[in-house]
Amino acid sequence: NFCFDNCATRPKKIIERGIEGKLTYPVQAKHHSFRTLINNCTKFHQWLTFGCDLVLGQPTDRRATQDEEMFLPTILADNISRATVTDSSGVARQLVVKTNQLSEETAEPLQQTFLDTFSPKVFGWTIFFIILAITALGWYTGKIFRVTDYILFGAAGLGGCLIWFICFISTHPCVWPNWNALWLQPIHLVAVALFAVPSLRKAGYIYHFVNFILIAVLIALWNFVPQHFNAAALPLVLSLWIRSAFNITAQSYYDVAVHNRHR
């Protein structure tokens, strides 16, 4: 339980139980959400931050109390070092008399890698413009390019399997509700089968229509949902939306053309 029962919270409770007197931590004027605290730890690893933002749900955006913020070891160490203990006679003393540094070694500077340059945001918008170009070409040539939908919705379906497993089956805290489950869902894998089998493409058309409406609502509420969305998620959401919109329109034109042919 990484927020409420981990390697920082357990020693904290042991220390508090072993103290005779009243333990008082320094008063902090500002408190942050769990997500802000976690993202501050991963700020030099953009892909890790992106992954955390996908799997951590709405409860992570709640502001943590001072006591809850100490689930992070660095914050616990800072609070413990400045805490005071007041005995039964009202005399206060510092909890920590002195600090001994066990090692003077420092971490090596982080080396820039390809993933640091090709960030989630760059990746997301690259995918979006590729999808947009393929869709525009399909509109111009009259081709749907279904392989694009197989890859895009298949990848979203695999991501949805992970998100839904964490939301509905795992016992991790702060993962449900998760609004990312509206666009990353395992049902996309079923949809790929609908797109691929000619006799089921009518059902695929209905799926695209429902997906288009669902994502349109999500986009409209993007800034109002009580959960932080990683900026790199928006172009991926738009990619799914554009493909569903294109397939709905293309199918409608196809139905009209077939109707006119049989008149």
Side-chain angles (χ1 to χ4, degrees):
N1 187 323
F2 60 88
C3 282
F4 307 110
D5 184 20
N6 67 7
C7 60
T9 62
R10 290 192 178 189
K12 172 178 174 295
K13 291 176 182 177
I14 293 173
I15 292 172
E16 291 174 344
R17 286 197 300 265
I19 289 176
E20 293 184 3
K22 181 182 179 182
L23 178 62
T24 304
Y25 293 106
V27 177
Q28 295 181 3
K30 186 176 181 180
H31 298 284
H32 303 282
S33 68
F34 288 98
R35 190 184 304 276
T36 299
L37 294 169
I38 292 171
N39 286 354
N40 187 56
C41 296
T42 63
K43 60 186 177 182
F44 297 113
H45 305 278
Q46 298 181 64
W47 282 97
L48 183 56
T49 300
F50 178 60
C52 289
D53 281 341
L54 286 182
V55 301
L56 295 177
Q58 180 180 324
T60 320
D61 292 294
R62 174 177 69 81
R63 287 188 181 275
T65 64
Q66 181 172 351
D67 189 68
E68 291 171 335
E69 285 185 346
M70 287 185 268
F71 80 98
L72 291 178
T74 53
I75 296 179
L76 172 64
D78 177 64
N79 277 270
I80 286 290
S81 67
R82 296 185 292 136
T84 59
V85 179
T86 305
D87 60 24
S88 56
S89 61
V91 178
R93 59 180 175 82
Q94 290 294 122
L95 172 63
V96 177
V97 177
K98 68 175 182 176
T99 300
N100 296 321
Q101 184 172 330
L102 300 181
S103 173
E104 294 185 358
E105 294 182 7
T106 57
E108 295 182 1
L110 292 173
Q111 299 295 322
Q112 289 289 320
T113 66
F114 171 74
L115 289 179
D116 294 315
T117 304
F118 196 63
S119 65
K121 190 181 295 185
V122 173
F123 170 78
W125 285 110
T126 299
I127 294 297
F128 171 77
F129 285 115
I130 291 174
I131 294 297
L132 186 63
I134 293 174
T135 303
L137 181 62
W139 183 268
Y140 179 75
T141 61
K143 297 180 180 180
I144 295 181
F145 297 117
R146 298 188 189 279
V147 174
T148 303
D149 296 322
Y150 303 158
I151 297 174
L152 180 63
F153 282 85
L158 291 175
C161 289
L162 174 63
I163 296 297
W164 281 40
F165 175 85
I166 293 176
C167 286
F168 301 114
I169 299 178
S170 77
T171 57
H172 288 297
C174 300
V175 296
W176 174 256
N178 186 347
W179 289 75
N180 285 305
L182 291 178
W183 67 278
L184 282 177
Q185 47 182 296
I187 305 174
H188 287 322
L189 294 177
V190 178
V192 171
L194 300 180
F195 306 155
V197 180
S199 60
L200 297 177
R201 284 178 183 167
K202 189 67 176 179
Y205 168 81
I206 296 174
Y207 184 87
H208 275 303
F209 184 80
V210 173
N211 186 63
F212 173 81
I213 296 297
L214 185 63
I215 292 184
V217 172
L218 178 61
I219 294 173
L221 298 177
W222 193 263
N223 293 320
F224 302 98
V225 170
Q227 176 179 326
H228 167 78
F229 288 114
N230 192 287
L234 181 59
L236 301 178
V237 174
L238 289 173
S239 299
L240 292 168
W241 188 61
I242 286 175
R243 288 306 298 177
S244 285
F246 172 71
N247 276 273
I248 293 169
T249 307
Q251 185 65 41
S252 298
Y253 277 120
Y254 173 79
D255 291 341
V256 171
V258 171
H259 177 74
N260 292 336
R261 191 180 306 135
H262 290 284
R263 288 183 62 180

